[in-house]
Amino acid sequence: MTNLITQFRSFDRPSQVLMVNQFSINIGFYMLMPFLAGYLAGPLGLAAWTVGLVLGMRNFSQQGMFLLGGTLADRLGYKPLIIAGCLLRTAGFVLLAAVDSLPAILVASAATGFAGALFNPAVRAYLAADAGPRRVEAFAVFNVFYQAGILLGPLVGLALTAFDFRVTALVAAAVFGILTVVQIWALPAHEAETETDRPSVREDWRTVMSNRPFVLFSLAMIGSYVLSFQVYLALPLQADVIAGGGMSATTLVTSVFVISGLVAIAGQLRITAWFAARWGSGRSLVIGMAALSVAFVPLVVVPTNDVFGSWAGATALLLTAALLAVGTAAVFPFEMDTVVALAGGRIVATHYGFYNTIVGIGILAGNLGTGAVFGVVHDAGLDALIWIALTVVGFGCVTALHLLERTGSLDPRATKVPVTSLE
């Protein structure tokens, strides 16, 4: 904790504000979203397909609009887009608390999603610009705040939802409302916001899409998101499979998220320092992706309770969650650094927006495939196959990243972190 505080204080005020803001953003978001489906299906009595529609609308309005959000950030400035995103999410959460008709709920869901598309690329581009040559270190500290918000948010939401989901929605709205005001006051405008004589939006998009190394890198990184997002899909499904012996599925799922958060919070700075000291950005991405890929090996060995019992199944599940957290912590700072390096420092938010759109499409396809296959292989008694398949996907991405790194496409001039700055 002392090391984290020291690192946090070593950055300029804009970076500090962005880190604290992301912590608050994740608290506000995750205190509400994990309980939205239950509220829609329970108190509001919506059919399952309409619940899926509402959640799908939120995801589409965020993932599908990242490129637009990044483009607006590069043209209008990082600070205005961050403020606009927080303000829009405030309105969306207030609307969720106030309405009960499907059309109005869809509007609120779309607003909360589009809000993320506005501030997400802007935050990352601003942090990269402010941190300069220390951007890998900055993203490592940023991820600690990010994961801490994810860990704390559901706990706050659980307590509030025990009273009423609408209370949760209003408190989440208040968090984003306060964030809006704080950022107007505390977040300095970035000098890049004053640039003039920009090319057209079409030219910006053509520049991004014709950046072959960047596009190939974006495609190669899809696998890291497909694997890391199994914390939200395959691991909870596996918890249902192995629950027993005094352990409920809810307890197991909660343990998965707690372990994931604690590993990221406690280990992020050490993991980043260790990787940076040995390999730098390009090679660290390859090794980190390999760590993500082997995370599912415990579940390949113990896919059910049939041979070793429920405690072995639970141990394999939690070990997989911990290894996924280590791999994600290893990849994230170097991944964010590489996006900036491959963008050449130009229209960085647009590059982040395009990148998030590509990996978002990959996450959707990966989750659809995983969800469809999981039940089939379980019913066939071939539970290990899903974990083998995910491991193969991971090593396919390791191969792609290795080829990019060998050919210099990951830009060997990307920032190498001074080890002393992280240890």
Side-chain angles (χ1 to χ4, degrees):
M1 180 60 72
T2 301
N3 189 31
L4 173 62
I5 294 172
T6 301
Q7 295 303 319
F8 173 75
R9 294 179 63 183
S10 71
F11 289 99
D12 294 336
R13 176 179 152 191
S15 291
Q16 293 177 351
V17 172
L18 291 169
M19 292 168 185
V20 174
N21 282 353
Q22 191 61 53
F23 171 70
S24 303
I25 284 170
N26 281 7
I27 287 179
F29 182 78
Y30 284 97
M31 75 166 61
L32 181 141
M33 291 310 297
F35 309 103
L36 178 58
Y39 169 69
L40 297 175
L44 293 190
L46 298 184
W49 72 269
T50 58
V51 175
L53 177 63
V54 171
L55 298 180
M57 176 63 75
R58 194 215 67 79
N59 187 69
F60 173 78
S61 62
Q62 180 162 321
Q63 300 291 347
M65 295 296 174
F66 270 132
L67 180 57
L68 176 60
T71 300
L72 291 173
D74 280 327
R75 290 176 173 273
L76 302 178
Y78 303 149
K79 179 176 178 176
L81 266 291
I82 295 170
I83 292 171
C86 288
L87 186 61
L88 183 58
R89 187 158 281 180
T90 302
F93 284 172
V94 168
L95 193 58
L96 278 176
V99 302
D100 55 14
S101 67
L102 181 59
I105 291 172
L106 286 172
V107 170
S109 184
T112 63
F114 185 50
L118 292 179
F119 61 66
N120 192 302
V123 166
R124 283 154 177 75
Y126 194 157
L127 182 62
D130 187 68
R134 297 182 64 200
R135 61 179 181 254
V136 170
E137 183 185 352
F139 278 113
V141 179
F142 177 85
N143 198 42
V144 175
F145 282 86
Y146 188 97
Q147 296 296 334
I150 292 178
L151 181 62
L152 184 58
L155 300 177
V156 176
L158 183 63
L160 293 173
T161 304
F163 295 99
D164 192 324
F165 176 83
R166 295 174 189 266
V167 173
T168 306
L170 290 174
V171 173
V175 170
F176 279 95
I178 293 170
L179 273 173
T180 303
V181 175
V182 168
Q183 286 168 121
I184 292 173
W185 167 71
L187 187 64
H190 191 269
E191 60 182 9
E193 299 175 10
T194 63
E195 292 182 12
T196 57
D197 299 327
R198 285 190 178 277
S200 66
V201 171
R202 183 177 298 179
E203 286 297 318
D204 280 352
W205 289 2
R206 185 179 292 118
T207 297
V208 173
M209 294 176 191
S210 62
N211 186 342
R212 187 170 181 270
F214 171 71
V215 173
L216 291 175
F217 171 68
S218 301
L219 294 173
M221 287 302 295
I222 287 174
S224 75
Y225 283 84
V226 171
L227 299 190
S228 62
F229 266 69
Q230 295 315 311
V231 170
Y232 302 99
L233 177 62
L235 297 195
L237 292 175
Q238 179 69 2
D240 286 329
V241 170
I242 65 174
M247 295 174 292
S248 69
T250 301
T251 300
L252 286 172
V253 172
T254 301
S255 299
V256 163
F257 283 103
V258 169
I259 286 176
S260 298
L262 291 179
V263 168
I265 293 167
Q268 178 69 71
L269 299 185
R270 292 181 178 87
I271 291 168
T272 303
W274 195 82
F275 273 69
R278 286 156 180 79
W279 299 300
S281 287
R283 186 61 58 85
S284 291
L285 281 168
V286 178
I287 305 299
M289 188 67 230
L292 275 171
S293 302
V294 301
F296 297 100
V297 171
L299 290 173
V300 172
V301 177
V302 188
T304 66
N305 299 337
D306 294 343
V307 176
F308 301 105
S310 59
W311 284 102
T315 300
L317 177 70
L318 298 180
L319 182 57
T320 291
L323 292 173
L324 282 174
V326 170
T328 302
V331 167
F332 180 77
F334 303 105
E335 168 196 0
M336 296 292 102
D337 173 63
T338 301
V339 171
V340 180
L342 295 179
R346 294 186 59 252
I347 52 173
V348 173
T350 304
H351 280 81
Y352 274 128
F354 179 84
Y355 181 80
N356 286 332
T357 298
I358 291 294
V359 298
I361 294 171
I363 290 168
L364 176 61
N367 283 352
L368 287 174
T370 302
V373 171
F374 192 97
V376 173
V377 298
H378 177 64
D379 292 341
L382 302 171
D383 298 77
L385 282 183
I386 187 66
W387 312 116
I388 293 172
L390 289 169
T391 302
V392 170
V393 168
F395 277 105
C397 293
V398 170
T399 302
L401 287 171
H402 176 63
L403 292 174
L404 290 173
E405 198 265 337
R406 279 189 61 186
T407 58
S409 296
L410 295 185
D411 191 355
R413 296 168 298 173
T415 302
K416 291 188 177 181
V417 187
V419 181
T420 55
S421 68
L422 281 170
E423 292 182 330

